[in-house]
Amino acid sequence: MQFNQFNNIDNQVMNHENTPAYRLSPEWHLYASVVTSSLSDKFYEKASERLDIIWHLIRKTDPLFVARLAIYARERMNLRSIPLVLAVELAKVHSGDTLVSRMTSRIIGRADEITELLAYYQIANERNTNKKKKLNRLSKQLQAGLKIAFNKFDEYQFAKYNRDTTVTLRDALFLVHPKAKNEAQQLIFNKITENKLQTPYTWETELSALGQSKFDTDIAKQKAFTRKWEELTDSGKIGYMALLRNLRNILESGVSFSHIQWVCETLSAKQKILQSKQLPFRFLAAYRELSKIKSDFTNKVVQTLEDAVKIAAENIAGFDESTSVLIACDVSGSMQQPVSPKSKIMNYDIGLMLGMLLKSRCKNVVSGIFGDKWKIVELPDSGVLSNVDAFYKREGEVGYSTNGYLVIEDLIKKEKTVDKIMMFTDCQLWNSCGGNTQLKDVWKKYKTFAPDAKMYLFDLAGHGNSPLDITSDDAHLIAGWSDKVFDILQAIDNGSDALKEINAIEI
């Protein structure tokens, strides 16, 4: 698939800051929209608008690409909700083969994703969401894919996500009619039908049961929660994400040093880190929660998080001292929006986190932040999370516009040649200084004396346009919130790009 034949005049568009930009092709736009989507409100658009954009883009895009993109988002970028949306929407417009069923069976990675897909199917097809009027028919290809998915899970996995939601597991079983792979699986299906799944031993169920107990004093309550958290850690049944999310609760409960030691050993175990497939900002969220509490063990756990991040970053290729790298992080107002309604993490944080992860893997690197101004910030090589927070505390020093062109203009003034420029941004760049100079102008000028320099735009918002023409001039687009974006960076250096990597997925 070739993307270097765009007509530059037809490809012009105005971005959200009313500044000339380049329109992305439907495939590029869909890719960027999908991997930067948490289905939450954005600064420039609402979640419903994002879904509407994706809906239209699917209809302009090859169905095989859509299916591959859904698998890419689930298996490589570790996203859960948006692949389900792609499956449901693709089923509306594509039929006649098994593409949708093959895609659906691949993207279901947890038992609750079966019911989540059906809940979205109900909404997307405008079915009545009254619990007394359940879905009574389903796309045949979605049904075929879900039949396969039903046989992926055991009783514990089903029970863990057997919730009283709009669409329950029992509803899903009656609708999908999966065929059990063996007698043991059929017994599990029977238990789902009869609502007799064994209550799973999880931190949620255990703490919920304890929370319903009555205590004579607050001290008795505190001791009970201390014992429960110690029991939970002793059980070894707390998942990696559950540990990250509950570090503050565990420390505040007052568990013993030996239990804190287990927590730290688990969080820093290489195999568990890699298996958990955590998005990098999860570590940052945990790090910030710890900063709010006082405990004798806080510093130990904080250091463990730093160690875990370093291990998670080991597979990032990075660059040696022979390659000069400039990392520029956008800290403008539009970047300071939470990635989801319940999250305290913003696009701004994701950009800083990814930037510092890359910095930790490069030997010859300069980093900084831009808003109204561009400012180089010298930080130590050690401490990814502490470096993110150091940047975070200094964002007000450069203001809140999106003057990305100043990054390149500074290089021109200093006559400094850099091999690779990494810009982590929402790509809505403009000039708030009153002039007409834009990033494309200074990039063209910079290339006259640094012809081998390459620009990598890490799109963290997916609005469908770029400040540079990514079909020429050594400008490349990479999108997403996962550290897996650096796999695309490496692919580009090997002559590939994001779309080629997606199109190479077998399905």
Side-chain angles (χ1 to χ4, degrees):
M1 191 176 295
Q2 298 295 320
F3 297 99
N4 60 354
Q5 300 175 0
F6 295 134
N7 182 303
N8 282 340
I9 296 176
D10 294 338
N11 198 30
Q12 291 288 312
V13 68
M14 303 302 283
N15 69 15
H16 288 288
E17 295 291 356
N18 201 35
T19 294
Y22 294 89
R23 179 187 291 111
L24 299 179
S25 73
E27 290 84 0
W28 277 106
H29 190 178
L30 184 60
Y31 152 67
S33 294
V34 163
V35 297
T36 59
S37 178
S38 64
L39 304 184
S40 61
D41 290 353
K42 300 290 183 180
F43 184 83
Y44 293 117
E45 61 191 47
K46 300 294 183 181
S48 58
E49 293 175 4
R50 175 59 62 98
L51 285 175
D52 190 51
I53 289 170
I54 289 173
W55 186 89
H56 285 287
L57 288 171
I58 286 173
R59 284 151 180 76
K60 296 179 180 180
T61 308
D62 180 359
L64 182 56
F65 176 81
V66 177
R68 285 170 167 161
L69 176 59
I71 294 170
Y72 173 82
R74 185 65 184 93
E75 294 183 350
R76 300 194 190 178
M77 301 298 281
N78 301 318
L79 301 177
R80 293 184 52 246
S81 296
I82 195 65
L84 307 180
V85 170
L86 292 179
V88 170
E89 296 299 339
L90 184 60
K92 290 182 183 179
V93 297
H94 183 76
S95 60
D97 57 29
T98 62
L99 179 64
V100 172
S101 67
R102 286 179 282 138
M103 169 188 63
T104 302
S105 66
R106 288 275 293 273
I107 63 174
I108 301 295
R110 284 188 359 185
D112 62 331
E113 289 168 6
I114 295 174
T115 54
E116 284 189 23
L117 184 148
L118 292 174
Y120 179 74
Y121 183 88
Q122 187 166 256
I123 295 170
N125 289 278
E126 299 181 346
R127 301 288 180 83
N128 194 317
T129 56
N130 188 317
K131 295 196 72 173
K132 295 180 180 180
K133 297 181 179 180
K134 294 292 184 181
L135 283 167
N136 55 16
R137 64 184 187 278
L138 182 64
S139 157
K140 290 183 178 180
Q141 285 304 306
L142 282 177
Q143 184 176 8
L146 290 175
K147 283 184 177 181
I148 298 172
F150 254 103
N151 279 293
K152 289 183 177 183
F153 310 109
D154 59 25
E155 182 174 1
Y156 177 85
Q157 292 167 314
F158 279 121
K160 185 177 180 180
Y161 299 109
N162 188 29
R163 298 161 179 164
D164 185 24
T165 48
T166 302
V167 178
T168 66
L169 277 175
R170 187 171 183 269
D171 298 328
L173 191 73
F174 288 152
L175 183 62
V176 175
H177 300 295
K179 182 179 179 180
K181 60 185 178 182
N182 52 39
E183 186 176 344
Q185 193 75 37
Q186 184 59 56
L187 291 175
I188 295 172
F189 290 169
N190 292 344
K191 287 185 177 182
I192 294 174
T193 300
E194 299 165 4
N195 286 321
K196 292 183 177 179
L197 288 171
Q198 183 176 353
T199 301
Y201 182 93
T202 67
W203 68 271
E204 295 104 327
T205 58
E206 291 297 299
L207 290 178
S208 176
L210 185 61
Q212 295 173 17
S213 303
K214 293 183 179 180
F215 301 95
D216 294 332
T217 64
D218 289 341
I219 294 177
K221 182 178 180 181
Q222 173 67 28
K223 288 182 177 180
F225 274 91
T226 300
R227 289 194 298 270
K228 179 56 66 177
W229 275 116
E230 291 182 341
E231 176 192 309
L232 286 166
T233 56
D234 288 339
S235 74
K237 291 187 176 181
I238 303 182
Y240 198 92
M241 179 177 280
L243 274 182
L244 278 180
R245 289 183 170 180
N246 283 287
L247 286 177
R248 180 176 179 177
N249 292 331
I250 292 171
L251 284 175
E252 288 184 332
S253 73
V255 299
S256 71
F257 175 77
S258 63
H259 291 90
I260 292 295
Q261 186 71 17
W262 178 87
V263 168
C264 292
E265 289 174 356
T266 302
L267 288 176
S268 58
K270 184 173 183 178
Q271 185 176 3
K272 291 184 180 295
I273 292 169
L274 298 180
Q275 288 177 343
S276 71
K277 300 178 181 179
Q278 295 300 306
L279 294 173
F281 66 78
R282 302 290 187 197
F283 293 99
L284 180 62
Y287 177 87
R288 287 184 175 163
E289 283 299 310
L290 291 180
S291 67
K292 301 174 183 178
I293 64 174
K294 292 182 179 180
S295 166
D296 294 339
F297 307 131
T298 298
N299 289 339
K300 180 178 178 60
V301 180
V302 165
Q303 185 55 54
T304 297
L305 288 178
E306 289 281 15
D307 295 340
V309 168
K310 289 179 183 177
I311 293 171
E314 282 182 0
N315 290 330
I316 297 175
F319 301 97
D320 60 24
E321 61 277 354
S322 65
T323 302
S324 55
V325 177
L326 176 64
I327 294 174
C329 297
D330 181 350
V331 296
S332 62
S334 61
M335 289 282 287
Q336 299 191 39
Q337 299 297 313
V339 298
S340 68
K342 296 181 180 179
S343 178
K344 297 177 183 178
I345 296 296
M346 301 176 286
N347 279 349
Y348 165 79
D349 297 310
I350 293 173
L352 293 177
M353 185 70 190
L354 292 176
M356 291 304 98
L357 278 174
L358 184 59
K359 174 180 168 58
S360 73
R361 303 296 294 164
C362 298
K363 302 298 183 183
N364 182 6
V365 58
V366 173
S367 56
I369 51 179
F370 67 89
D372 297 341
K373 300 177 290 184
W374 156 243
K375 184 169 187 174
I376 294 173
V377 181
E378 299 292 344
L379 294 171
D381 293 333
S382 60
V384 172
L385 298 172
S386 59
N387 278 352
V388 172
D389 256 17
F391 266 93
Y392 185 83
K393 293 172 183 176
R394 301 185 66 167
E395 45 86 18
E397 296 177 13
V398 296
Y400 301 98
S401 292
T402 324
N403 297 327
Y405 77 94
L406 294 175
V407 177
I408 310 303
E409 198 171 71
D410 185 52
L411 292 174
I412 294 173
K413 290 178 180 177
K414 295 176 179 176
E415 298 184 352
K416 181 177 178 60
T417 299
V418 175
D419 298 314
K420 298 180 182 297
I421 299 166
M422 315 289 183
M423 195 170 287
F424 296 85
T425 176
D426 62 5
C427 287
Q428 304 307 291
L429 306 185
W430 63 301
N431 183 341
S432 69
C433 299
N436 295 320
T437 303
Q438 303 297 334
L439 180 63
K440 63 183 178 64
D441 303 316
V442 292
W443 180 243
K444 183 177 180 180
K445 183 177 180 180
Y446 185 65
K447 288 287 289 182
T448 61
F449 73 85
D452 297 326
K454 291 180 171 59
M455 170 71 78
Y456 303 83
L457 294 166
F458 287 81
D459 185 352
L460 306 177
H463 294 303
N465 55 71
S466 167
L468 296 175
D469 185 353
I470 63 171
T471 67
S472 62
D473 297 331
D474 286 326
H476 306 280
L477 184 76
I478 304 171
W481 300 339
S482 167
D483 53 313
K484 297 300 180 184
V485 295
F486 299 119
D487 291 345
I488 299 297
L489 173 60
Q490 188 175 15
I492 289 171
D493 286 350
N494 292 328
S496 185
D497 61 31
L499 297 198
K500 290 177 183 177
E501 292 297 297
I502 293 167
N503 279 315
I505 292 175
E506 295 184 5
I507 178 173

